[in-house]
Amino acid sequence: MQQIECQAVVLENQRLNEQTSILTLLAPVVATAARPGQFVNISCNHLLRRPLGIMDADPSTGQIKVGIRIVGDGTAWLASRQTGELISVLGPLGHGFELSKISRVITVGGGTGVFPLYFVQKWCYAQGVESIAVCGYRSKSESFLTDEYAVLSCQTLFASDSGDMDFAGNAGQALQSLLTDLPPQAGTVILTCGPKIMMQKIAEIARNSQLPCQVSLEERMACGIGICLVCACKIKAEAAGDSITHLRCCVEGPVFPAEVVEWSI
Ligand SMILES: Cc1cc2nc3c(=O)[nH]c(=O)nc-3n(C[C@H](O)[C@H](O)[C@H](O)COP(=O)(O)OP(=O)(O)OC[C@H]3O[C@@H](n4cnc5c(N)ncnc54)[C@H](O)[C@@H]3O)c2cc1C
Ligand code: FES
């Protein structure tokens, strides 16, 4: 897999609200190689880079986008970059979503998970694959990308905890409600990204509905390229006698089939 470090130019910093920004970066090699579900590891004001899912990649312009929620020092630094600045980007990294042999995609995103799933929806639009987007937010005022999703997705369902969007409740409840009325179709897959507790619920709903599900895990990371083992995540072991094994989220993931993820330990 091609992964490369480049000095990316900040083309735009779109501040969505106090805590959230979208950076548009000129990074042609990343833009050409990136696949939905992959991430970049971006240098910041700390020794360690910060991993961010690729929200969009356009090989024709050489641009990529990343959505950033400020949770600490590194993301605050990244979200305050200005047009024309250079930042070091390593990527594209990791194993993205498996998108072969599918006829219908349901993406379920919560919080910052809404960002990387936009890339999936864009891929579906380009490939002519039917797509449904379920996005969960705290409230309408904290929501983002709703217009952009509406353009790409065949159907959208925006849920908010505060009850001021399409569906009152969380993304899991919204998915459950959607599936109740959705006609079955062979080749349907559920792809999810967001808080771990949400993805665990989505995986359970998918299992009960007998639909395949892929989850994008967000472990703490350091190197992002498989060397340091900081990102080890618990996976159900295939070998008899072992209950769990560990895989590197940054290389074997971040996307895994839901059924192999060990949630409970
Ligand atoms: C594959 C991958 C894709 C990601 N994609 C995005 C994205 O598209 N947009 C986005 O805003 N964020 C994303 N993240 C999370 C982002 O990397 C972290 O929020 C960031 O590294 C925090 O850095 P910081 O210096 O601001 O905060 P820190 O000071 O390092 O941490 C602040 C708080 O955030 C928690 N935290 C830090 N990193 C993580 C993590 N990986 N998972 C859960 N909690 C964490 C810490 O425990 C601490 O409580 C992704 C993470 C991974 C692993
Ligand atoms: S972050 Fe270093 S091995 Fe995954």
Side-chain angles (χ1 to χ4, degrees):
M1 187 183 297
Q2 188 182 19
Q3 18 175 275
I4 200 155
E5 189 270 340
C6 70
Q7 292 297 313
V9 185
V10 177
L11 297 177
E12 189 186 5
N13 182 344
Q14 183 190 359
R15 188 46 81 101
L16 303 181
N17 56 44
E18 263 185 29
Q19 280 189 308
T20 322
S21 274
I22 294 175
L23 283 188
T24 304
L25 305 172
L26 185 63
V29 176
V30 184
T32 303
R35 298 289 171 266
Q38 290 189 297
F39 66 99
V40 284
N41 216 7
I42 305 190
S43 64
C44 64
N45 56 338
H46 286 273
L47 176 66
L48 297 176
R49 293 167 179 267
R50 296 299 190 256
L52 294 167
I54 299 170
M55 180 193 128
D56 195 3
D58 184 347
S60 68
T61 60
Q63 296 178 15
I64 63 166
K65 290 181 194 284
V66 288
I68 304 168
R69 158 89 38 93
I70 298 173
V71 295
D73 220 26
T75 43
W77 187 88
L78 284 169
S80 59
R81 291 309 88 204
Q82 301 295 315
T83 303
E85 290 185 42
L86 292 177
I87 44 178
S88 167
V89 173
L90 184 62
L93 302 175
H95 182 271
F97 291 105
E98 176 54 57
L99 295 170
S100 58
K101 297 183 189 152
I102 50 171
S103 73
R104 182 170 63 184
V105 169
I106 304 172
T107 59
V108 187
T112 54
V114 169
F115 288 122
L117 290 173
Y118 176 78
F119 195 4
V120 175
Q121 291 287 339
K122 200 172 165 194
W123 181 91
C124 291
Y125 186 82
Q127 302 294 318
V129 172
E130 185 182 344
S131 68
I132 302 171
V134 178
C135 302
Y137 307 97
R138 284 193 198 130
S139 64
K140 189 173 183 185
S141 62
E142 291 186 51
S143 68
F144 45 83
L145 293 185
T146 50
D147 291 346
E148 290 82 351
Y149 266 97
V151 168
L152 293 180
S153 315
C154 305
Q155 187 181 341
T156 56
L157 185 57
F158 299 122
S160 68
D161 300 330
S162 60
D164 55 357
M165 299 186 80
D166 301 338
F167 184 90
N170 60 38
Q173 292 163 330
L175 174 66
Q176 188 72 74
S177 141
L178 174 93
L179 291 176
T180 307
D181 298 329
L182 195 69
Q185 181 176 309
T188 299
V189 62
I190 295 176
L191 311 178
T192 185
C193 186
K196 207 165 190 171
I197 191 156
M198 180 204 89
M199 291 196 290
Q200 184 176 4
K201 185 69 192 165
I202 302 304
E204 184 190 320
I205 294 170
R207 193 174 58 248
N208 293 341
S209 308
Q210 294 171 330
L211 290 172
C213 178
Q214 299 172 36
V215 301
S216 183
L217 299 182
E218 283 194 8
E219 299 293 338
R220 295 297 306 252
M221 289 187 181
C223 73
I225 53 172
I227 298 166
C228 70
L229 306 185
V230 160
C231 65
C233 50
K234 295 184 176 79
I235 297 294
K236 287 174 186 154
E238 285 171 19
D242 289 336
S243 59
I244 58 160
T245 186
H246 290 87
L247 290 179
R248 296 163 301 177
C249 187
C250 68
V251 174
E252 284 84 22
V255 177
F256 293 95
E259 65 273 15
V260 308
V261 175
E262 181 55 65
W263 303 100
S264 55
I265 302 177

